[in-house]
Amino acid sequence: MESPAHHLAGPAVRARTSLAAALVLALGAFTAQAQDAPAANVPPDSDPRHPDQAEDPHVRDLDAVRVSASLFGSTADQLSRPVEVLSGEKLDEVRAASLGETVAGLPGVQSSNFGPGVGRPIIRGMDGPRVAVMSNGLSSADVSTVSQDHAPAIEPFLADQIEVLKGPSTLLYGSGAIGGAVNVVDGRIAETPIEGVTGRAETRIDVGDKDGQTSMARLDAGNGGLSIHADGVYRNANDYDTPRGRQANSFIDTKSGAFGASLAGDWGFIGVSVARFNDRYGNPGEPGDPAAGEPGVHLEMHQDRFEMKGGLNEPWGQGSGLRYSFGHTRYDHTEYEGSQAGTMFKKNANEGRVEATFAAANGWKTAVGLQGSDSTFQAIGEEAFVPRTDTTSVGVFAVAQNAWGRFSTDLGARVDQVRYDTDTGLSPDFTPLSLSTSFGFRLDEHWRLTANLDHAQRAPAEEELFADGPHIATLAYEIGGAGLDKEKANQAELGLSYRNDRVDAKVSAYYNRYDKFIYLADTGAQWSFEEQGRSLPIRQWTQGDAVFHGLEGEATWHLADSDSTGAWDLHVFGDTVRARLKDGGNLPRIAPGRFGGELRWQASAWRASLGATRYMRQDKVATDETETAGYTLVDAHLAYHLDAGPTSWEVFLDGSNLADQDARVHTSFLKDRVMLPGRSASFGVRMFF
């Protein structure tokens, strides 16, 4: 029996690919006719590749990008807390089918893996319910934390920028961000006035060991007050190949799109957006046996999302502001064995938040906020190992910021109330408390020292509390711990950065002590799963003290920049994390250490890069966990950029795993059965207007 994706690989897919390419060409022709061509090639506003200060080598650094997750509108290099931002051409080069794979190249960040359709960010060894995944500051409201084979309902190809907050981020986003947060900013609700029509489109084709295509289009239009937005993505990828052969049941088929509208002016803004996300992907851990007529398992996901956002500029004096947002989400996905429906997961969620910032008083900038959410989760079917659960939470937080000469500080506190109600009669509640302080000290014009101290608490997640049944994704019978207490983290971090005209470098070291860390422990017993004809180990969610500590750093050297040779940059990075229980033993599926480098060149319309990342052998494993061999991934990028009046074009070629290495992701439950794709390339065209 063929993979379901192969039924999509015929004329219909080729027609869609041709249609996407035709759409890009048609949009280019339309915009060229709709606007008067200027005397010179002035790039469109939608093109992020033309900074205003082209002579300054630091305009290529992402630290200058404004971080929307900062209440005070700071850029990454102004914050004492560790933040990474992906945007512009660097984001375009790493966009992938999953959010985790998109951000996995950042120091301290890797991805889970359950095939190419599923990848959730892992930050400094933390994953699952400890890392918040958000869209425009609101939860993605999916069920990706419940099981490792569930994908986040986020489309990286529609992101303007992706922000990664490393370390406890509970002050702004609640106890689910005890390990960090990833915020995807998509610009569907314009916060400032838009004049005229701008947009972008892209289509790419994967070749080599990957076989698929992705196309997207985005349009923003406005008259200086009213703005409208539309976007859409279509992706189709067949089963990929590895250096050892075909990875069965690894197909993806995704359709996503949204509409938005807003009013904006000097007074502020208010707007709404509606979005739909449909995803269909195979589970390579259960590929079936086509020769025996046994179908593989695939998932079909559907999410409808409504968002409303608004803000007032300086409502009570210069430097003050008020922002509010609300999101409503309806989510479901069904797991199929062939055409036969199995377990269905459903979630309806509402979330709102209000943030008020105040004019500086005695040098202090202050902000307070209120966040609340209500959700209902339900699993129906033979693998419904978590009961129907209603979750309500409300949190209040306050932060303050000040600077005295070379010294700056940030202080914050948050308290949440989290309550669960289940149809089994269990109704626990928790009151997590988080406190944070961070300091920055500029030693001189080049060196800056930062320090962070955090105390964060997390309420246990639904699956940790209430699980009771077979969980095929983890090949175990899971039992929740109804008596679990709050998880508590105490982290200290020290960072050092250096910048001059030719070098940007930063390094940080952190130590995180967890009290009552929640993890899944083997009981030594077995459970007979008659329907699957196998025995599953019985594992219990339990608690114990744990320690995480690590080191990460990166540096960029601006080697040369002239009209004759172009601009040459060398970027190097590395990270490592160690995680263990205080009573002895390693925690499972901890990301291995890495180091890598990339040489980048840019001259006039051309840019190119060649990089390699070495993943170290992971031999510090938990009981009954297998080791993972090291490997080196080599990638390259080449692009040609052309400004043609009000339209910019870019033709690109991206290569991945060019050394055709055997690569297994240690953080994956499927690492012993699923490999990453072999040597592959993506060829495509982008247009900005």
Side-chain angles (χ1 to χ4, degrees):
M1 179 179 178
E2 290 184 306
S3 164
H6 291 164
H7 296 293
L8 300 173
V13 172
R14 290 193 293 271
R16 289 190 183 101
T17 305
S18 300
L19 179 61
L23 174 62
V24 172
L25 295 172
L27 282 172
F30 168 77
T31 53
Q33 295 175 6
Q35 304 180 45
D36 294 331
N41 283 345
V42 179
D45 293 338
S46 60
D47 183 1
R49 288 153 178 76
H50 294 272
D52 295 332
Q53 299 169 313
E55 295 80 10
D56 182 357
H58 296 294
V59 299
R60 297 190 293 273
D61 300 330
L62 296 178
D63 283 349
V65 178
R66 179 181 178 273
V67 181
S68 67
S70 168
L71 292 181
F72 302 115
S74 304
T75 59
D77 61 348
Q78 295 172 326
L79 298 174
S80 299
R81 307 196 62 81
V83 178
E84 300 275 359
V85 181
L86 277 174
S87 65
E89 62 191 42
K90 189 59 180 175
L91 175 56
D92 282 339
E93 290 175 0
V94 299
R95 291 186 202 266
S98 72
L99 179 62
E101 186 180 352
T102 299
V103 300
L106 297 174
V109 185
Q110 296 195 38
S111 176
S112 67
N113 183 283
F114 220 90
V118 183
R120 210 174 188 278
I122 297 174
I123 300 177
R124 294 178 170 178
M126 306 287 179
D127 63 352
R130 296 183 180 90
V131 174
V133 173
M134 300 171 297
S135 174
N136 303 303
L138 296 175
S139 170
S140 60
D142 48 47
V143 298
S144 60
T145 63
V146 174
S147 180
Q148 288 73 18
D149 60 335
H150 300 171
I154 293 284
E155 178 48 70
F157 272 77
L158 296 176
D160 286 344
Q161 68 182 48
I162 301 176
E163 304 161 352
V164 180
L165 287 71
K166 295 184 286 188
S169 303
T170 54
L171 286 183
L172 292 182
Y173 302 115
S175 69
I178 196 171
V182 179
N183 184 39
V184 177
V185 182
D186 54 35
R188 287 169 172 169
I189 299 174
E191 300 184 13
T192 56
I194 293 177
E195 291 276 4
V197 179
T198 64
R200 60 178 293 173
E202 175 180 325
T203 187
R204 64 171 65 190
I205 298 174
D206 301 320
V207 296
D209 282 0
K210 292 182 181 179
D211 176 17
Q213 66 94 12
T214 301
S215 298
M216 66 82 63
R218 168 177 176 159
L219 180 72
D220 294 279
N223 61 5
L226 175 65
S227 301
I228 59 173
H229 168 98
D231 63 47
V233 163
Y234 173 73
R235 175 184 300 106
N236 176 264
N238 298 318
D239 294 346
Y240 65 79
D241 290 326
T242 76
R244 302 292 181 90
R246 177 63 55 93
Q247 189 70 63
N249 207 29
S250 58
F251 71 90
I252 312 172
D253 188 69
T254 306
K255 304 177 185 69
S256 179
F259 293 95
S262 67
L263 288 171
D266 294 339
W267 53 273
F269 75 98
I270 185 170
V272 297
S273 69
V274 291
R276 173 163 290 185
F277 184 87
N278 290 331
D279 199 11
R280 183 174 181 268
Y281 58 91
N283 178 348
E286 297 184 82
D289 186 355
E294 178 185 342
V297 173
H298 73 276
L299 287 78
E300 297 188 8
M301 178 196 302
H302 175 88
Q303 185 191 69
D304 290 327
R305 184 178 180 92
F306 166 84
E307 287 188 19
M308 185 274 289
K309 292 172 59 180
L312 296 176
N313 297 330
E314 302 184 345
W316 37 75
Q318 185 176 4
S320 66
L322 178 69
R323 294 178 62 89
Y324 49 91
S325 56
F326 171 80
H328 170 72
T329 304
R330 294 193 302 271
Y331 171 99
D332 67 77
H333 87 242
T334 303
E335 300 177 0
Y336 287 88
E337 185 172 348
S339 60
Q340 182 178 353
T343 307
M344 173 183 284
F345 293 82
K346 303 177 68 175
K347 185 173 185 177
N348 291 335
N350 296 297
E351 181 181 6
R353 60 185 294 132
V354 180
E355 304 161 354
T357 56
F358 300 94
N362 298 321
W364 286 96
K365 301 177 183 178
T366 56
V368 297
L370 173 69
Q371 180 181 6
S373 65
D374 175 80
S375 66
T376 299
F377 165 79
Q378 185 176 13
I380 304 168
E382 62 180 11
E383 294 180 32
F385 65 99
V386 180
R388 175 189 171 102
T389 305
D390 294 322
T391 305
T392 56
S393 68
V394 62
V396 293
F397 57 90
V399 295
Q401 184 183 87
N402 204 346
W404 304 271
R406 297 182 179 182
F407 180 80
S408 62
T409 185
D410 292 82
L411 308 173
R414 177 174 177 134
V415 62
D416 288 272
Q417 179 70 42
V418 182
R419 178 179 175 84
Y420 298 107
D421 289 296
T422 71
D423 56 9
T424 61
L426 296 174
S427 300
D429 62 84
F430 303 89
T431 308
L433 172 68
S434 297
L435 303 170
S436 176
T437 180
S438 60
F439 306 95
F441 183 72
R442 188 164 296 282
L443 303 175
D444 57 30
E445 62 177 332
H446 301 301
W447 293 94
R448 185 168 185 255
L449 181 70
T450 59
N452 303 303
L453 297 173
D454 297 280
H455 172 76
Q457 298 180 355
R458 180 177 75 90
E462 295 100 319
E463 64 274 15
E464 297 167 338
L465 288 166
F466 311 123
D468 188 6
H471 188 187
I472 300 305
T474 62
L475 293 177
Y477 188 101
E478 293 186 15
I479 300 175
L484 293 177
D485 200 354
K486 292 179 296 185
E487 191 176 73
K488 302 175 182 178
N490 295 284
Q491 176 172 286
E493 178 173 357
L494 191 65
L496 183 65
S497 63
Y498 177 82
R499 167 177 284 191
N500 65 17
D501 290 341
R502 293 301 169 190
V503 179
D504 292 288
K506 55 186 176 182
V507 63
S508 60
Y510 57 90
Y511 180 90
N512 196 342
R513 189 186 75 242
Y514 269 89
D515 298 331
K516 301 181 179 179
F517 183 83
I518 301 172
Y519 66 100
L520 195 58
D522 278 304
T523 65
Q526 297 282 319
W527 181 79
S528 178
F529 194 6
E530 296 180 358
E531 294 184 14
Q532 295 284 334
R534 69 177 89 176
S535 293
L536 300 178
I538 299 176
R539 295 172 180 161
Q540 171 95 43
W541 287 101
T542 188
Q543 290 184 297
D545 295 343
V547 172
F548 285 68
H549 57 88
L551 181 70
E552 63 194 38
E554 61 180 326
T556 299
W557 284 271
H558 306 294
L559 302 177
D561 191 353
S562 69
D563 293 337
S564 58
T565 64
W568 292 83
D569 290 347
L570 176 64
H571 177 257
V572 298
F573 83 99
D575 57 42
T576 183
V577 60
R578 182 81 167 88
R580 56 183 175 79
L581 293 169
K582 290 189 68 176
D583 292 339
N586 299 310
L587 288 169
R589 292 174 300 282
I590 298 300
R594 303 178 298 178
F595 63 90
E598 180 185 58
L599 182 64
R600 297 182 67 87
W601 168 76
Q602 184 170 338
S604 184
W606 291 93
R607 72 173 187 275
S609 67
L610 177 65
T613 301
R614 176 64 183 177
Y615 289 77
M616 306 303 292
R617 178 184 182 89
Q618 181 55 286
D619 55 6
K620 297 178 176 62
V621 295
T623 304
D624 296 327
E625 182 185 15
T626 58
E627 298 181 2
T628 304
Y631 54 91
T632 302
L633 296 182
V634 178
D635 64 89
H637 305 276
L638 177 66
Y640 178 77
H641 193 85
L642 173 65
D643 294 325
T647 305
S648 293
W649 296 87
E650 186 165 280
V651 180
F652 62 91
L653 177 65
D654 299 329
S656 59
N657 195 5
L658 296 179
D660 206 30
Q661 291 267 291
D662 291 358
R664 300 181 185 273
V665 179
H666 184 79
T667 58
S668 172
F669 277 91
L670 303 180
K671 71 182 181 68
D672 295 324
R673 288 173 287 162
V674 175
M675 297 176 63
L676 293 179
R679 185 182 295 113
S680 307
S682 298
F683 172 77
V685 59
R686 301 184 184 101
M687 181 191 66
F688 307 88
F689 61 89

